[in-house]
Amino acid sequence: MTQIRSVVLGCGSYLPEQVVTNAQLAARIDTSDEWIVQRTGIRERHIAAEGEFTSHLAIKAAQAALRDAGVDAQSIELIVLATSTPDNTFPATAVAVQHGLGINHGAAFDLQAVCSGFVFALATADNFLRTGAYKRALVIGAETFSRILDWNDRGTCVLFGDGAGAVVLEAQEQPGNAATDRGIVTTHLRSDGRHKAKLFVDGGPSSTQTVGHLRMEGREVFKHAVGMITDVIVDAFKATGLNADGIDWFVPHQANKRIIDASAHKLHIAPEKVVLTVDRHGNTSAASIPLALSVARRDGRIKKGDMVLLEAMGGGFTWGSALVRW
């Protein structure tokens, strides 16, 4: 029996021009390149310029994805933008992106699941496309985390960067075989609000009437991360009958190289299948997976027909996985 799948037509990304290295941070706070690399794998990150907003990054990533897909912006009926750093409290940053692309039809909205945002947004758009509500969608992850960092807190400010990535999805009829169909094969989303205090921003319109700064209990996040990540990946394998041997590329959320390595090892995914960009981008939250996808697509690693495994975990806690046949 045939089945409608959300097929990736193209992907694109954008990084701000300004690069901040570990050495530059070490000149400002009590840290060092060795300390940061040893604990995180991060060597540098991109920081948005003054007056450069999340919407600006998202628009450029979306334009790159549209070019890669070879489709016109006017064919887009749905925009789902994953971000924790919107331009404004409201309206949704997605409508600024919609306007920036010259689109005035369809629907555009933001989705907030922190670092898991892109996976949550992908699953949301997929469900809209599979029901027939829309034919073609833009799914974007875009962040300017530099705006919510406490630059005197060496435990957090060294970890994050700014950027945006996007994919174009199209509803297409497929044969109905999870092992061979192109498109999004399965998604699995989870959350547990008991862990809020381990990773949060200490501000907000309703609570403090301020933006606030990111706060994190790094050891606690690390302790939970590997188990939660592998949990939803095992769910994806169970749902499809696939296993690590059937995965061509593992594209995890780029938060910490040690978490990525431990997750891949636990899942028996070979290191050469893992796409790593955390050294160059830092943790770009909802933007990290589409940024990594774009890098691996441009350099020729990810090819049509490849099975790609995505996973992420973020504040909340939220976590999720997706299996996508390119």
Side-chain angles (χ1 to χ4, degrees):
M1 183 180 294
T2 61
Q3 187 169 346
I4 298 298
R5 302 276 192 195
S6 302
V7 175
V8 179
L9 298 184
C11 65
S13 61
Y14 174 77
L15 289 163
E17 290 184 10
Q18 183 184 5
V19 176
V20 176
T21 66
N22 290 346
Q24 288 173 298
L25 287 178
R28 297 166 50 185
I29 58 173
D30 181 20
T31 190
S32 68
D33 177 67
E34 181 184 15
W35 188 90
I36 298 169
V37 172
Q38 183 182 21
R39 286 162 176 77
T40 70
I42 300 168
R43 297 184 182 277
E44 61 184 34
R45 71 285 294 147
H46 292 251
I47 302 297
E50 185 177 353
E52 189 173 37
F53 304 155
T54 294
S55 62
H56 300 145
L57 276 56
I59 289 167
K60 290 178 180 178
Q63 289 170 332
L66 290 165
R67 287 194 299 271
D68 185 55
V71 301
D72 187 83
Q74 296 305 314
S75 70
I76 299 297
E77 300 169 322
L78 173 68
I79 299 173
V80 185
L81 171 62
T83 187
S84 299
T85 50
D87 291 4
N88 303 99
T89 301
F90 73 84
T93 301
V95 299
V97 175
Q98 182 188 38
H99 177 66
L101 295 173
I103 302 169
N104 55 19
H105 58 264
F109 60 88
D110 291 357
L111 185 150
Q112 222 284 46
V114 201
C115 298
S116 306
F118 183 76
V119 174
F120 275 59
L122 202 68
T124 301
D126 176 47
N127 279 288
F128 274 113
L129 294 182
R130 287 192 294 109
T131 64
Y134 300 102
K135 174 71 174 176
R136 193 172 283 171
L138 258 174
V139 179
I140 308 167
E143 303 282 16
T144 50
F145 254 55
S146 61
R147 307 278 159 77
I148 57 170
L149 296 178
D150 177 351
W151 287 97
N152 295 311
D153 178 6
R154 72 169 189 163
T156 57
C157 75
V158 302
L159 303 177
F160 296 91
D162 302 335
V167 296
V168 178
L169 298 179
E170 182 178 77
Q172 293 184 8
E173 193 172 273
Q174 296 291 312
N177 186 335
T180 58
D181 281 1
R182 288 191 66 206
I184 298 172
V185 178
T186 190
T187 60
H188 298 266
L189 309 179
R190 295 282 304 281
S191 61
D192 187 343
R194 291 175 296 175
H195 302 288
K196 173 190 172 182
K198 296 178 177 67
L199 179 55
F200 70 106
V201 169
D202 61 2
S206 179
S207 57
T208 65
Q209 299 84 56
T210 63
V211 174
H213 292 112
L214 185 149
R215 305 300 179 192
M216 182 174 70
E217 298 176 14
R219 290 182 181 177
E220 285 295 308
V221 173
F222 189 96
K223 187 173 74 175
H224 285 83
V226 176
M228 289 178 168
I229 288 165
T230 54
D231 174 49
V232 285
I233 291 174
V234 169
D235 286 347
F237 288 162
K238 287 179 179 176
T240 59
L242 295 171
N243 57 35
D245 292 337
I247 301 303
D248 295 297
W249 298 104
F250 178 38
V251 186
H253 168 49
Q254 306 289 315
N256 183 304
K257 187 177 184 298
R258 290 194 298 161
I259 293 174
I260 294 169
D261 290 345
S263 301
H265 177 76
K266 187 174 180 180
L267 292 160
H268 306 293
I269 297 174
E272 58 269 20
K273 291 184 177 182
V274 181
V275 176
L276 279 172
T277 57
V278 68
D279 58 328
R280 291 163 282 167
H281 300 165
N283 182 346
T284 54
S285 190
S288 79
I289 288 177
L291 277 167
L293 282 173
S294 186
V295 168
R297 187 76 181 100
R298 283 199 311 268
D299 65 24
R301 277 179 287 177
I302 295 178
K303 301 176 291 295
K304 184 177 178 180
D306 283 353
M307 182 62 83
V308 182
L309 172 61
L310 314 178
E311 64 79 9
M313 174 191 166
F317 288 144
T318 63
W319 63 104
S321 66
L323 274 172
V324 184
R325 176 77 69 181
W326 209 260

